[in-house]
Amino acid sequence: MFQSLSALPADPILRLVAEYRADTNPNKIDLGIGIYKDENGDTPVMTAVKKAEQQILATQTSKKYVGPTGSPEYNEAVAELLFGKELYSSLGKRRVTVQAPGGCGGLRLAAEFLKQANADATVWVSDPTWANHVPLMTTAGLKISKYPYYDYATHSVRFEEMLACLKTVPKGDIVLLHGCCHNPCGADLTLAQWEAVRDVALDQGFTVFIDLAYQGLGDGLEEDMIGTRLMAESLPELVLVSSCSKNFGLYRERTGAMTLICETETETTTATTLIAASARAMYSMPPDHGAEVVQLILNNPALRSEWDAELTGMRDRINGLRAKLVEQTRKVGIDRDFGFIQNEKGMFSFLGVNVEQVQTLVRDYSIYLVDSSRINVAGINDANVEYLAESLASVLKD
Ligand code: LMR
């Protein structure tokens, strides 16, 4: 039965991890997969996470099942982090948060739910969007369309075109937005733009679906939430998927959540039964360890402030690296203006070079980035920024 299968190409982001690992060039730079790296190129376990893990090890007395919707302590702590105290309490029981196996698990869970709510729904994704959004939605049976988003020439959001497109999206369809730190382009909506999108959503009646994987890595834990909170307080319905992979450094622990806001409490109660049934059918219940770490941190003031400080350090480092890269491109005499990188948010930006130039960077300089020219800014450090800028200069000259 398996003879007829044909191999699939490797995932464009994950493929680079193995290629980078196998490269013996001492100057190699990993700007591929979106993980935070420190000045030494390491991705250490955050101190607050280590402390919470020690606490779990010392006090956990059972590994019994947690249930398809996960840990209530985690779900509520995450919801409060997402919405802030006031909005969290005013949403009341119209909101439910369900633990999920990472951001991807949350997205897939949400897709299953949306498919049940409207089997004919189309999910509108930004052009460009994170490559994995498409399979996560289509494997649940949802259709995909794109709305204009990033202008590669001006390095800004094509907002008028985006809005014009959204004005054609009907009720029953879903518009997937990046809550902050847009992946792959780093260009986020302003508050006024979020408001305009909200107004169109209210006029058209489509469902807003937010993917939020980088809270705290753009401008701050509160600042990064302006768009999501605006939608949550002013729309009758909202789907939100969040991840603790990046801001808690819990990548492999698969720690995420799906949050749903319905128009009424009764609808939310009904919807929760469907979400729980989908979780049960796909993976039964989410892994516990990362969620336990997160809830211990968020519910303990000392651990929480330690985590907050560490996250601030990560964010400041990324923003500092953006400035350093721009400065180096000028120092090595590149004519092209890379100043836009400094205005973008989060881990990613496009270098704006073509596929051949990307492949030259990978092949001849051991600088690993995806074909779209997206770079993980956190992969830059003091020791490699000059080599990166010089390599970029040579590739641009060729
Ligand atoms: C990325 O975009 O590099 C990250 O979100 C990691 C992933 O799973 O693709």
Side-chain angles (χ1 to χ4, degrees):
M1 154 166 126
F2 305 131
Q3 291 79 22
S4 61
L5 298 176
S6 343
L8 289 174
D11 177 277
I13 297 174
L14 301 183
R15 174 177 59 84
L16 290 175
V17 176
E19 289 176 11
Y20 173 79
R21 207 176 283 147
D23 191 332
T24 53
N25 182 346
N27 294 326
K28 66 182 179 178
I29 308 179
D30 179 12
L31 305 178
I33 190 161
I35 51 172
Y36 178 77
K37 288 170 189 237
D38 66 13
E39 189 52 33
N40 304 316
D42 297 327
T43 307
V45 180
M46 292 173 85
T47 315
V49 168
K50 265 274 178 240
K51 288 186 181 171
E53 287 184 313
Q54 279 153 2
Q55 202 174 315
I56 294 170
L57 205 61
T59 59
Q60 195 171 56
T61 54
S62 174
K63 297 260 183 215
K64 62 182 193 287
Y65 290 126
V66 288
T69 56
S71 146
E73 292 80 11
Y74 166 83
N75 291 336
E76 296 315 297
V78 162
E80 203 180 307
L81 179 70
L82 293 171
F83 299 114
K85 268 195 171 47
E86 221 172 281
L87 180 56
Y88 165 76
S89 53
S90 74
L91 288 169
K93 292 197 163 66
R94 283 180 52 222
R95 187 258 338 145
V96 66
T97 300
V98 170
Q99 186 185 323
C104 283
L107 288 164
R108 181 57 203 271
L109 187 60
E112 286 293 320
F113 170 71
L114 290 164
K115 173 77 182 169
Q116 290 177 65
N118 178 12
D120 291 328
T122 294
V123 180
W124 293 74
V125 297
S126 60
D127 180 16
T129 196
W130 178 47
N132 210 26
H133 275 153
V134 175
L136 281 166
M137 298 300 120
T138 53
T139 46
L142 294 164
K143 295 184 284 281
I144 291 280
S145 277
K146 290 179 185 168
Y147 59 84
Y149 191 78
Y150 188 68
D151 185 344
Y152 294 86
T154 60
H155 309 287
S156 58
V157 177
R158 297 158 67 187
F159 190 66
E160 292 313 315
E161 290 161 80
M162 172 183 174
L163 212 58
C165 177
L166 296 187
K167 284 180 184 164
T168 68
V169 176
K171 185 175 167 65
D173 275 3
I174 297 134
V175 173
L176 179 54
L177 301 163
H178 296 232
C180 64
C181 306
H182 190 282
N183 180 4
C185 70
D188 286 343
L189 299 179
T190 62
L191 179 58
Q193 290 172 333
W194 277 103
E195 284 167 345
V197 172
R198 185 265 326 263
D199 292 345
V200 176
L202 285 170
D203 282 350
Q204 293 294 111
F206 58 71
T207 298
V208 172
F209 177 5
I210 297 179
D211 182 8
L212 184 86
Y214 299 90
Q215 184 184 3
L217 286 161
D219 290 322
L221 280 169
E222 303 300 312
E223 295 82 345
D224 291 347
M225 297 307 291
I226 50 162
T228 303
R229 290 180 185 174
L230 176 83
M231 295 295 179
E233 69 198 10
S234 48
L235 294 178
E237 296 178 344
L238 180 70
V239 180
L240 167 63
V241 169
S242 53
S243 166
C244 299
S245 293
K246 328 280 168 167
N247 54 4
F248 285 84
L250 283 168
Y251 311 92
R252 67 172 69 159
E253 302 296 352
R254 311 314 300 139
T255 313
M258 172 191 168
T259 293
L260 177 72
I261 299 171
C262 296
E263 208 160 353
T264 66
E265 287 182 19
T266 316
E267 284 170 18
T268 305
T269 309
T270 306
T272 308
T273 65
L274 300 181
I275 297 167
S278 291
R280 177 73 172 142
M282 287 195 290
Y283 50 81
S284 188
M285 43 199 88
D288 173 68
H289 182 73
E292 186 60 9
V293 166
V294 168
Q295 79 85 9
L296 283 174
I297 293 173
L298 293 177
N299 288 319
N300 175 316
L303 283 182
R304 189 177 178 130
S305 67
E306 195 163 353
W307 164 71
D308 196 342
E310 211 167 343
L311 178 62
T312 302
M314 287 158 63
R315 175 174 66 247
D316 290 349
R317 185 179 129 72
I318 292 175
N319 289 333
L321 290 168
R322 289 182 172 280
K324 269 187 197 157
L325 177 59
V326 174
E327 191 191 319
Q328 276 298 331
T329 59
R330 290 178 185 148
K331 266 200 191 144
V332 300
I334 297 179
D335 291 339
R336 195 188 286 192
D337 183 14
F338 282 91
F340 64 91
I341 289 178
Q342 233 167 306
N343 307 326
E344 294 176 344
K345 302 286 174 203
M347 281 191 178
F348 307 113
S349 276
F350 286 123
L351 277 184
V353 298
N354 62 37
V355 185
E356 289 73 40
Q357 290 166 324
V358 168
Q359 284 165 1
T360 307
L361 283 169
V362 176
R363 193 186 53 240
D364 298 350
Y365 298 90
S366 297
I367 296 173
Y368 288 81
L369 62 161
V370 275
D371 282 350
S372 64
S373 88
R374 184 196 82 164
I375 56 166
N376 170 19
V377 178
I380 303 170
N381 56 45
D382 282 344
N384 69 23
V385 66
E386 198 177 330
Y387 174 68
L388 171 60
E390 278 167 356
S391 309
L392 186 57
S394 334
V395 163
L396 289 172
K397 253 187 242 138
D398 290 346

